[in-house]
Amino acid sequence: MAKHSENEVFDETNDENSGVTAILCNWIVGLDKKDIPEEVLERAKHLILDGIACGLIGAHVPWSEQAVDAVLAYEPEGQCNLIGYEEKLGPLAAACLNGGFIQATELDDYHSVAPLHSASVVLGSLFAAAQVKNTKVRGSSANGQSNGTREPGHTVPGIDFLIAAIAGFETGPRSGMAIHGADLLVRGWHSGVVFGCPAAAAASSKLLGLSAVNIESAIGIACTQACGLMAAQFEGMIKRMQHGIAARNGLFGALLARNGYVGIKKVYERRYGGFLNMFSQGNTKTPRYDVQEVVAGLGDVWHTSRIRFKLHACVGGCHGLVEAVEKLQKDHPQRFAGEALANIKSIKVGLSETILHHDGWAPHERPLTSTGSQMCAAYISATQLIDNQVLIAQFADSQLNRDEVWELVNKTTCHHDSQFDYPNLGCGAHVTVEFEDGTTLEETVRMPKGFDPPITNEEVRNKYRRLAASVIDQERVEKIEKLVLAIDQLKDISELLEVLAKPTKSGMN
């Protein structure tokens, strides 16, 4: 063990000279279609399709429209498309908004061990990066390295976009697992926003054709911007935007580095002010971080295939809760039907330590905001009991102050259940319902649907079709699906970006 200061001891695996950041950057540069298993390529296509579905739905919900109005009021017109809008903006503004659209309704993907919403940060940055790739860069790169300069008129092949997305899908979870992922939520950080920044930088840098030296700068620039406060989940709209901010930060890093601007080197390994050391401050793990997790199994272990898809429009940590309540409703229909719900005396919900801190809080006001209601276990449970589903419609403003929902919310308490404090079990739940006649019913879901086995690609396509069909016409639904699932054959990604930019209807209908 190497002693760094009087109060801090570091394992040898966290050697500042281990070269981990450089290893990751060299891997990103060398990543090629031939290196990626076919099933990983297919899964990545479906992650892109799912992200697009969420973006189409999220582009015109009220908080997204309000954000667009605010940005259009000060941001000049640019060259980058917005999902569901005819207006174009500069790359940083477009990345922020598009990422925000994808995360706007809590229907987008998540990683169960290192919680982040990958499509929002990766696609948010890549859609913009693809449209600035044709811009000629001024000056020369630092250290004589290639800076990704492209001649005007150069197209962006779909296979390049797909491989760049996989670079981001791999970098985000690895960056999170190195600092014990979900532990950030326990301490109040919006975890996915923190390690979404290097994910967006990796994806953007790959698409822009940066050298390994400049990718290291891009990731360093992205990491120094990393932040995200989980208090955003209560009243504000900003929770919807924070993954979009990470997309913007990563793209900003890549665009600066493309021109030779030097960022933080060894950003993962550095002890003083390094990414992993700083964001692991305050945790109780031993060791606090493990820099080797960033590159563990590169090229053999594919986190792209471990990213989870959502079937419920709420925080991923409560999907086990939804499914436990759903199972009780199915097994005991008379106990949980209509007026019989009034006979419930109490509902006790056992959650992992992470999810208890994140979502197990008692509502402090009535009504909750749409954001707060989608992040509150008691409210989510009550919604499933009343409506037999947890979809976007349940969180419209008109639904947030229903007496029948709040009667159940006020009977619900959440507590720590240590059986869920293990990797891949963190989104499980144990539900105990006590009735006025003394009857008690219990149900446990250790892993919600989509963990083991994972949701199939066919189920992802069906989800896309349902969501997309609610806001765009059928011809456009089919065209987008065809383009995405054959993205590796697409000569120019601009064809997809143009069809995404056509106006959509409100996602809250």
Side-chain angles (χ1 to χ4, degrees):
M1 303 288 280
K3 201 166 186 180
H4 176 59
S5 69
E6 184 177 348
N7 300 315
E8 202 158 19
V9 176
F10 288 83
D11 188 274
E12 289 85 350
T13 57
N14 291 329
D15 179 5
E16 195 172 71
N17 296 311
S18 63
V20 163
T21 307
I23 291 170
L24 175 66
C25 295
N26 279 295
W27 180 81
I28 292 169
V29 168
L31 186 62
D32 191 76
K33 183 179 180 181
K34 70 180 187 307
D35 305 318
I36 305 170
E38 187 62 33
E39 63 270 19
V40 175
L41 289 166
E42 284 302 308
R43 198 60 164 177
K45 293 177 186 178
H46 285 79
L47 281 165
I48 293 169
L49 188 68
D50 187 72
I52 285 172
C54 296
L56 290 168
I57 283 283
H60 283 282
V61 293
W63 43 93
S64 292
E65 290 184 341
Q66 197 160 348
V68 171
D69 288 345
V71 173
L72 288 176
Y74 69 82
E75 189 76 18
E77 183 179 357
Q79 72 270 46
C80 298
N81 292 115
L82 299 178
I83 299 171
Y85 290 85
E86 294 178 340
E87 293 86 353
K88 292 186 176 184
L89 290 169
L92 300 183
C96 192
L97 288 173
N98 282 329
F101 298 162
I102 294 170
Q103 226 279 290
T105 60
E106 289 296 330
L107 275 167
D108 54 330
D109 64 72
Y110 65 109
H111 193 281
S112 57
V113 179
L116 83 160
H117 303 289
S118 294
S120 58
V121 295
V122 170
L123 298 186
S125 60
L126 283 183
F127 286 158
Q131 293 188 296
V132 299
K133 191 172 182 180
N134 296 348
T135 303
K136 194 166 184 178
V137 181
R138 291 181 58 199
S140 59
S141 169
N143 303 319
Q145 298 291 328
S146 168
N147 58 15
T149 300
R150 303 287 182 174
E151 293 299 323
H154 184 86
T155 58
V156 180
I159 185 61
D160 290 359
F161 187 96
L162 180 62
I163 294 171
I166 292 172
F169 294 152
E170 293 298 314
T171 300
R174 293 172 180 281
S175 302
M177 291 177 70
I179 43 178
H180 304 285
D183 186 77
L184 268 73
L185 290 172
V186 175
R187 291 181 288 121
W189 292 108
H190 194 174
S191 58
V193 180
V194 172
F195 37 85
C197 291
S204 303
S205 296
K206 179 66 174 175
L207 192 65
L208 292 169
L210 269 60
S211 68
V213 168
N214 288 337
I215 293 176
E216 186 165 1
S217 280
I219 291 176
I221 295 166
C223 286
T224 199
Q225 300 174 83
C227 187
L229 300 177
M230 206 59 254
Q233 73 180 27
F234 298 114
E235 305 90 0
M237 297 177 178
I238 191 60
K239 196 271 178 187
R240 317 290 192 174
M241 183 69 71
Q242 288 184 167
H243 276 76
I245 293 170
R248 179 199 68 190
N249 293 347
L251 178 61
F252 184 53
L255 292 176
L256 283 177
R258 181 175 70 156
N259 208 46
Y261 194 90
V262 179
I264 297 171
K265 300 297 184 179
K266 300 183 181 181
V267 72
Y268 290 116
E269 302 99 297
R270 289 290 189 199
R271 292 177 182 172
Y272 180 74
F275 180 76
L276 301 182
N277 188 22
M278 296 313 297
F279 279 108
S280 64
Q281 296 284 337
N283 77 25
T284 58
K285 308 294 184 179
T286 304
R288 285 194 291 105
Y289 66 90
D290 183 354
V291 69
Q292 295 300 323
E293 283 286 349
V294 175
V295 295
L298 270 178
D300 295 316
V301 176
W302 294 94
H303 284 275
T304 301
S305 299
R306 299 181 176 188
I307 296 170
R308 314 300 184 183
F309 294 86
K310 284 188 177 182
L311 296 177
H312 313 292
C314 65
V315 61
C318 285
H319 284 209
L321 167 59
V322 172
E323 292 175 22
V325 172
E326 192 174 40
K327 183 74 162 50
L328 287 171
Q329 291 172 304
K330 181 179 179 180
D331 292 347
H332 309 279
Q334 292 182 332
R335 285 281 186 180
F336 294 97
E339 294 180 358
L341 293 174
N343 297 321
I344 292 177
K345 181 179 180 180
S346 69
I347 303 169
K348 297 178 181 178
V349 178
L351 301 167
S352 70
E353 181 185 18
T354 297
I355 302 307
L356 179 66
H357 282 274
H358 188 11
D359 312 312
W361 45 277
H364 50 276
E365 62 182 1
R366 176 181 175 181
L368 291 169
T369 63
S370 178
T371 305
S373 61
Q374 287 180 287
M375 311 298 292
C376 176
Y379 191 93
I380 292 164
S381 172
T383 297
Q384 174 62 35
L385 286 167
I386 295 296
D387 295 338
N388 294 291
Q389 63 183 19
V390 179
L391 299 175
I392 297 173
Q394 274 66 58
F395 303 100
D397 286 347
S398 62
Q399 302 299 301
L400 298 178
N401 202 25
R402 292 179 288 167
D403 288 339
E404 60 270 30
V405 171
W406 280 93
E407 286 173 7
L408 292 173
V409 170
N410 292 330
K411 294 178 180 178
T412 303
T413 56
C414 299
H415 61 275
H416 179 212
D417 189 330
S418 61
Q419 70 173 303
F420 303 115
D421 290 341
Y422 298 94
N424 293 318
L425 300 183
C427 298
H430 177 78
V431 179
T432 304
V433 181
E434 183 182 358
F435 293 86
E436 294 290 352
D437 64 4
T439 301
T440 298
L441 298 173
E442 301 183 48
E443 186 60 58
T444 300
V445 170
R446 289 174 63 78
M447 293 188 292
K449 183 173 174 59
F451 279 65
D452 186 16
I455 290 170
T456 66
N457 288 341
E458 181 181 5
E459 289 174 306
V460 176
R461 294 193 296 272
N462 288 336
K463 174 188 171 185
Y464 160 77
R465 292 164 190 162
R466 288 194 304 272
L467 292 179
S470 69
V471 292
I472 60 176
D473 62 70
Q474 189 60 33
E475 180 180 357
R476 191 171 162 201
V477 171
E478 294 172 3
K479 183 174 182 179
I480 292 170
E481 181 177 345
K482 182 179 179 180
L483 289 171
V484 173
L485 296 184
I487 196 169
D488 50 338
Q489 306 300 318
L490 202 59
K491 292 183 178 179
D492 188 358
I493 196 70
S494 63
E495 184 178 357
L496 174 61
L497 299 181
E498 288 169 7
V499 72
L500 291 179
K502 295 179 181 178
T504 59
K505 296 183 291 185
S506 172
M508 297 295 284
N509 287 346

